[in-house]
Amino acid sequence: MRAFIFASLFIGVTVFAHADDDIDYQRHIKPLLAHKCAACHGSLSQEAGLRLDASQLIRRGGDNGPVIKPGSSLGSELIDRVSSSDPDYRMPPDGEGEPLTKQQIQMLSQWIDAGAVFPADEIIPVAPKEHWAYQIPKRKPIPAIDGFNALNPIDSFLMHEQQRVGLKPADLADHHTLLRRLYFDLIGLPPTREQLQAFVDDDSPQAWQTVVESLFESPHYGERLALPWLDAARYADSNGFQQDGDTWQWVWRDWVVRSLNDDLSFDQFTIWQLAGDLLPN
């Protein structure tokens, strides 16, 4: 559980495609179509008979036939529509959503030019088969960067993308900045002067790991990491309407904090969150 949450604090969620063979339907194309097109061309509405939320339906196209021509983005109506400057022809239409960005159009074009490849096991538009969570993950090779010694494999992927767009990594943070970032990330509080100085004076190779482990053991760790869960559930200590009376929602709040501090495994944590009232005792 801690490894999952700790990693999520430092990994961005923005997904970039590097080259044609890096563009994945489930990871890049499907979320884009869902975000930009599903309101009018999804399961609830199929304007012009076009539905873009399943691979077979995308291949079939709408009332006017297929909207993609695998291997040719220039011959695909989908690209023609999303890149048009005519507000009456462009998709999404005015008032129905923001136009696709140049980067998003380029990603769609590259995917189509590369053959518009769909997952082999996506046979029929049934939700369990469609959803990315049911796809077998495939490990990608770590990019090799000349003259760059990565401290972590994640750094190699970040550096690969930075080089592609002409960016350089920021300089290494000094000890004071680094420790403050760690404290705010893990417990939501700044370190004391004494804690800062102790970290600066510690020359051992395990200095960083020692601080990380100490913060994992802090009761404030569970409080800090509980906030996203409480926010997602719209938690409040009070009723917030008329008179409060007796309120007991703090019992769940304390359980979330305690579970995170006890390093409850992620699968058990989610089971108890979603179906705790159906479990024995």
Side-chain angles (χ1 to χ4, degrees):
M1 181 70 170
R2 288 178 180 174
F4 169 82
I5 294 176
F6 189 44
S8 69
L9 292 171
F10 297 97
I11 302 174
V13 297
T14 302
V15 176
F16 297 96
H18 303 144
D20 293 357
D21 58 354
D22 284 329
I23 298 177
D24 177 74
Y25 168 71
Q26 291 284 15
R27 186 183 179 200
H28 303 107
I29 304 303
K30 189 170 183 177
L32 175 61
L33 295 178
H35 177 60
K36 291 290 188 178
C37 311
C40 298
H41 302 289
S43 60
L44 299 180
S45 176
Q46 297 91 44
E47 296 290 336
L50 177 62
R51 185 170 170 181
L52 298 174
D53 61 338
S55 62
Q56 281 193 333
L57 303 175
I58 296 173
R59 292 189 188 100
R60 186 184 67 192
D63 295 342
N64 297 322
V67 292
I68 62 170
K69 183 179 180 180
S72 175
S73 60
L74 294 178
S76 298
E77 185 182 357
L78 179 63
I79 300 301
D80 189 36
R81 287 278 190 164
V82 298
S83 58
S84 174
S85 59
D86 183 349
D88 295 326
Y89 184 77
R90 185 188 63 229
M91 292 292 158
D94 276 356
E96 298 294 337
E98 292 294 323
L100 272 65
T101 65
K102 290 183 179 179
Q103 184 183 29
Q104 291 169 335
I105 294 173
Q106 180 186 17
M107 185 167 66
L108 269 175
S109 299
Q110 290 179 349
W111 173 68
I112 293 174
D113 287 335
V117 178
F118 294 95
D121 60 346
E122 189 173 294
I123 300 171
I124 56 175
V126 179
K129 281 290 185 181
E130 284 285 313
H131 199 278
W132 60 265
Y134 294 93
Q135 302 298 320
I136 299 175
K138 298 178 181 179
R139 184 182 296 274
K140 291 192 174 183
I142 299 173
I145 312 296
D146 292 338
F148 178 71
N149 295 320
L151 300 176
N152 187 295
I154 296 173
D155 294 337
S156 295
F157 287 99
L158 294 175
M159 187 62 178
H160 181 58
E161 175 62 23
Q162 287 174 337
Q163 285 188 345
R164 188 186 71 84
V165 297
L167 297 177
K168 295 182 179 180
D171 295 332
L172 290 175
D174 58 63
H175 279 61
H176 288 79
T177 302
L178 196 61
L179 196 69
R180 282 177 61 83
R181 289 176 181 171
L182 181 66
Y183 266 71
F184 281 121
D185 275 336
L186 291 188
I187 66 172
L189 299 169
T192 65
R193 290 185 179 181
E194 293 75 18
Q195 290 167 331
L196 274 172
Q197 194 59 49
F199 180 64
V200 171
D201 294 341
D202 191 346
D203 295 327
S204 68
Q206 298 300 319
W208 175 260
Q209 189 64 31
T210 299
V211 177
V212 170
E213 292 297 335
S214 69
L215 294 181
F216 278 153
E217 297 303 320
S218 168
H220 299 307
Y221 167 77
E223 296 165 358
R224 162 69 180 86
L225 272 295
L227 285 175
W229 297 95
L230 301 181
D231 288 344
R234 299 182 180 182
Y235 174 83
D237 282 329
S238 66
N239 184 296
F241 182 69
Q242 297 178 342
Q243 60 184 12
D244 284 334
D246 293 332
T247 58
W248 295 92
Q249 50 266 50
W250 59 267
V251 176
W252 173 72
R253 176 202 65 195
D254 288 1
W255 176 86
V256 173
V257 173
R258 186 168 61 251
S259 298
L260 291 165
N261 277 330
D262 292 344
D263 198 20
L264 182 65
S265 63
F266 186 72
D267 60 340
Q268 290 300 309
F269 183 75
T270 50
I271 288 173
W272 275 95
Q273 288 275 21
L274 299 175
D277 58 330
L278 301 178
L279 298 176
N281 303 317

